[in-house]
Amino acid sequence: MKIAKVINNNVISVVNEQGKELVVMGRGLAFQKKSGDDVDEARIEKVFTLDNKDVSEKFKTLLYDIPIECMEVSEEIISYAKLQLGKKLNDSIYVSLTDHINFAIQRNQKGLDIEFLGKDTTKVQFNYYTNGAGNHEKIVDLGFDAANAYHTYAFDWQPNSIKWYVDGQLKHTATNQIPTTPGKIMMNLWNGTGVDEWLGSYNGVNPLYAHYDWVRYTKK
């Protein structure tokens, strides 16, 4: 088996005898290797066959910068889900779940939050992380119930400060230990468990929905 493309030191793509591209993972599998070299099959830990070409390309792009540990965790979760559900999952789960796990780890190291806690949606919580350190929470009374209508929530992230706004009104400013590493925008709904005092208890009802009217990013 020959290497078709080196993605990182631990991940390569190959083409099998049927002409199908495979993504192959193993620690050090591609170290000091290049396209056309033989694959050290003893180092192979996992082979991914993604039938959707678009998903396969997104998956390979994602793996350029993601630690192998994230991929390993993602694969364990997906394998368990397949076993429990007894059916094949859509290929896109490899991209979305791996990216989500990587982002969650990065968020714990650095990031800015605008959060609504299920126990009281008349309040909003602002927070940020720098080098894994959080504990910068600020809970603000909104004066309305965020679950009833759309409102505008924003933050202005500058080198020496972060300012949070609600409907254009400044609500909170932070000036200490401001994170400097670039991040990404992510919006999601988290049915947290084991944190009832913080979020309120989750009753297990599914599905859950979060609705967003629009989102905008402005670079200054």
Side-chain angles (χ1 to χ4, degrees):
M1 188 159 45
K2 301 282 188 181
I3 297 175
K5 187 176 183 180
V6 173
I7 297 174
N8 60 41
N9 281 340
N10 306 303
V11 184
I12 61 173
S13 66
V14 302
V15 178
N16 65 13
E17 294 178 354
Q18 290 73 42
K20 179 174 288 188
E21 185 179 29
L22 310 175
V23 177
V24 182
M25 183 178 75
R27 291 181 182 275
L29 182 64
F31 181 65
Q32 295 185 337
K33 297 285 188 177
K34 62 182 183 300
S35 298
D37 286 351
D38 290 326
V39 177
D40 183 353
E41 298 189 19
R43 289 182 175 271
I44 294 177
E45 298 175 14
K46 182 65 182 178
V47 178
F48 300 93
T49 305
L50 303 180
D51 296 324
N52 185 304
K53 184 174 178 59
D54 181 56
V55 171
S56 179
E57 289 303 315
K58 289 180 180 178
F59 186 55
K60 287 187 292 183
T61 299
L62 184 66
L63 292 177
Y64 274 111
D65 300 315
I66 284 186
I68 191 172
E69 290 80 9
C70 291
M71 189 62 248
E72 290 172 339
V73 171
S74 178
E75 168 57 20
E76 287 184 18
I77 294 171
I78 293 169
S79 295
Y80 179 77
K82 287 180 178 178
L83 180 65
Q84 293 298 310
L85 297 173
K87 63 181 181 180
K88 177 180 172 61
L89 302 180
N90 190 291
D91 284 345
S92 63
I93 189 68
Y94 286 99
V95 175
S96 57
L97 182 58
T98 305
D99 191 36
H100 179 77
I101 291 171
N102 184 57
F103 179 79
I105 293 171
Q106 289 184 357
R107 177 192 174 281
N108 190 50
Q109 297 298 318
K110 56 186 183 297
L112 286 69
D113 290 340
I114 298 176
E115 299 174 309
F116 301 92
L117 311 183
K119 66 180 182 182
D120 187 354
T121 50
T122 66
K123 297 179 174 63
V124 63
Q125 177 175 289
F126 305 131
N127 194 13
Y128 63 100
Y129 296 81
T130 304
N131 298 324
N135 299 318
H136 302 294
E137 296 90 347
K138 174 67 174 181
I139 294 179
V140 174
D141 287 310
L142 291 169
F144 56 82
D145 191 336
N148 290 340
Y150 291 116
H151 291 266
T152 302
Y153 309 92
F155 62 82
D156 181 10
W157 180 15
Q158 298 296 330
N160 299 311
S161 68
I162 307 168
K163 295 180 179 180
W164 285 267
Y165 297 83
V166 176
D167 290 334
Q169 299 297 311
L170 179 64
K171 294 295 184 178
H172 180 54
T173 300
T175 57
N176 296 320
Q177 298 179 314
I178 303 302
T180 59
T181 306
K184 67 172 69 173
I185 297 173
M186 182 174 182
M187 300 180 292
N188 67 357
L189 180 64
W190 177 45
N191 55 333
T193 57
V195 284
D196 292 358
E197 185 177 350
W198 176 40
L199 301 180
S201 61
Y202 170 51
N203 60 12
V205 173
N206 282 303
L208 302 174
Y209 298 98
H211 300 277
Y212 308 94
D213 191 33
W214 55 271
V215 60
R216 183 172 66 206
Y217 163 71
T218 304
K219 185 176 181 180
K220 294 184 179 180

